[in-house]
Amino acid sequence: MSEAGIPCLWMRGGTSKGAYFLASDLPGDPGARDALLLRIMGSPDPRQIDGIGGADPLTSKAAVLGPSSRADADVDYLFLQVFVDRPVVTDAQPCGNILAGVGPAAIERGLVPVAGAVTPVRIHMLNTGEVATARVETPDGRVSYAGAAAIDGVPGTAAAVPLMFENIAGSMTGALLPTGRVVDVIDGVECTLIDNGMPCVVLRAADVGATGAESREALEADAALKARLEAIRLRAGPLMNLGDVAEKSVPKMTLVSAPTAGGAISTRSFIPHRVHASIGVLAAVTAATACLQRGGPAAGLARIPEDGRFLVEHPTGAAEVFLDLAADGTLKGAGTVRTARKLFDGRVFPGPARAPALTG
């Protein structure tokens, strides 16, 4: 397989980049698949110099696509996070940014037929078991990546890819608030342990000695802050029904502060050990949802929009999230707009075999 190369579609999805594969082109055994992905990305190596990874968690991702295994979806999507400097590949979380490229990739690979000027693609997210719907621009019978939509964290414009999520509360933990409480105190810090598509620990930046306005680089350099957040994260994992999370990429740690650019809330997101250049799609949905939890750290700082459209501020701008609320205030669904672009379509050649992968 490696001598001939493996078919690979390299795409930007939202503010991430990843390799999109057909499941039929990868080993069926998860351990063999993950070991192969490490060789493809060039991990473990901080520079990923012998692979296609970009030396950053945001550019060391993979999507595995196949025919849908359920009647209410068009395509199955498994997200895999390939760690940069450790021999770890994990399916312990979804990724909403890479999700933005799944609809276009599924059409490019013939898994979903074009259905007109806009093709809806129902995506079964295998990481959580939920279904999301992407609407892909397909004029003239093929995917169009050109358009006027702009998202913070990505230069220029591209075709919009609206994403709608339903029934994502408790996607990985079993409940929106897995402990049943809006506030849990961990190591003396008030936290909201919440999962609306992405398990997150939401806490005030000020409570851990930060302002919430720091750059990504400043937070990356603060070893004491990162160690404190990791200690909280390790204790939060079992409380969120995630077990021992030492080798897992969830929960994410989300520092919140008052918005400064007209948004609903300001965030700094740890994913979990590196600082996100912006914020993940589902982490933004979860952060916006945390703003509605009265008495919680985010609610006391947030400016709640009347129309349900939350601008979640992050280091490079803001992510727009729409929360669909029922009359009684319960959450029915959530949505956002991302963009995606095909960067390369060809064959990738894995590097030499290394030690077995640690699958999380």
Side-chain angles (χ1 to χ4, degrees):
M1 180 183 292
S2 61
E3 291 182 1
I6 301 163
C8 175
L9 188 59
W10 186 242
M11 296 187 70
R12 175 184 63 77
T15 55
S16 294
K17 284 194 294 189
Y20 292 68
F21 299 97
L22 291 179
S24 57
D25 289 328
L26 297 176
D29 175 71
R33 176 202 66 203
D34 294 349
L36 180 64
L37 290 175
L38 289 170
R39 294 163 57 198
I40 287 172
M41 290 295 177
S43 299
D45 172 26
R47 294 191 299 158
Q48 292 183 318
I49 195 65
D50 201 33
I52 64 173
D56 189 295
L58 301 182
T59 59
S60 185
K61 300 182 174 187
V64 182
L65 311 184
S68 178
S69 56
R70 52 193 287 179
D72 60 347
D74 302 306
V75 61
D76 279 355
Y77 155 54
L78 177 67
F79 169 72
L80 295 168
Q81 178 70 58
V82 183
F83 280 51
V84 174
D85 54 1
R86 287 192 282 167
V88 175
V89 178
T90 179
D91 64 358
Q93 66 171 80
C95 179
N97 275 305
I98 292 298
L99 174 68
V102 170
I107 296 170
E108 294 268 11
R109 287 294 187 251
L111 292 171
V112 177
V114 170
V118 176
T119 299
V121 181
R122 299 170 301 170
I123 302 164
H124 176 204
M125 299 183 289
L126 293 175
N127 302 79
T128 62
E130 313 298 342
V131 174
T133 300
R135 295 180 60 81
V136 182
E137 298 286 338
T138 51
D140 303 319
R142 59 187 300 177
V143 177
S144 174
Y145 297 98
I151 59 173
D152 289 336
V154 177
T157 63
V161 182
L163 299 169
M164 287 301 299
F165 307 95
E166 295 182 4
N167 303 316
I168 55 173
S171 62
M172 298 183 65
T173 64
L176 180 68
L177 300 171
T179 68
R181 297 179 292 271
V182 171
V183 175
D184 286 275
V185 179
I186 302 177
D187 290 352
V189 178
E190 289 189 343
C191 306
T192 296
L193 311 185
I194 185 169
D195 172 12
N196 196 26
M198 178 65 70
C200 291
V201 178
V202 178
L203 61 157
R204 300 179 192 90
D207 288 349
V208 289
T211 66
E214 291 89 351
S215 67
R216 184 191 193 194
E217 293 73 21
L219 292 172
E220 288 275 11
D222 193 334
L225 172 62
K226 292 170 71 175
R228 187 175 186 189
L229 291 177
E230 180 64 2
I232 293 172
R233 192 181 80 89
L234 293 177
R235 289 191 58 189
L239 295 174
M240 299 180 76
N241 303 319
L242 296 170
D244 181 357
V245 298
E247 296 291 337
K248 295 181 180 179
S249 54
V250 289
K252 310 298 188 188
M253 303 299 291
T254 305
L255 305 184
V256 293
S257 57
T260 60
I265 193 73
S266 180
T267 63
R268 295 294 185 268
S269 183
F270 290 72
I271 55 172
H273 307 118
R274 299 285 299 275
V275 181
H276 205 303
S278 54
I279 188 171
V281 171
L282 292 166
V285 169
T286 298
T289 307
C291 295
L292 301 176
Q293 309 306 308
R294 294 183 180 179
L301 298 165
R303 298 173 184 168
I304 306 300
E306 295 181 358
D307 61 0
R309 295 184 179 276
F310 289 70
L311 283 176
V312 179
E313 298 177 7
H314 55 69
T316 52
E320 185 179 51
V321 172
F322 173 72
L323 297 183
D324 185 11
L325 302 176
D328 62 0
T330 58
L331 188 65
K332 296 193 297 181
T336 188
V337 174
R338 297 276 87 186
T339 66
R341 194 169 76 82
K342 178 171 65 173
L343 305 177
F344 172 82
D345 188 355
R347 306 182 79 85
V348 64
F349 296 85
R354 300 189 183 187
L358 299 178
T359 303

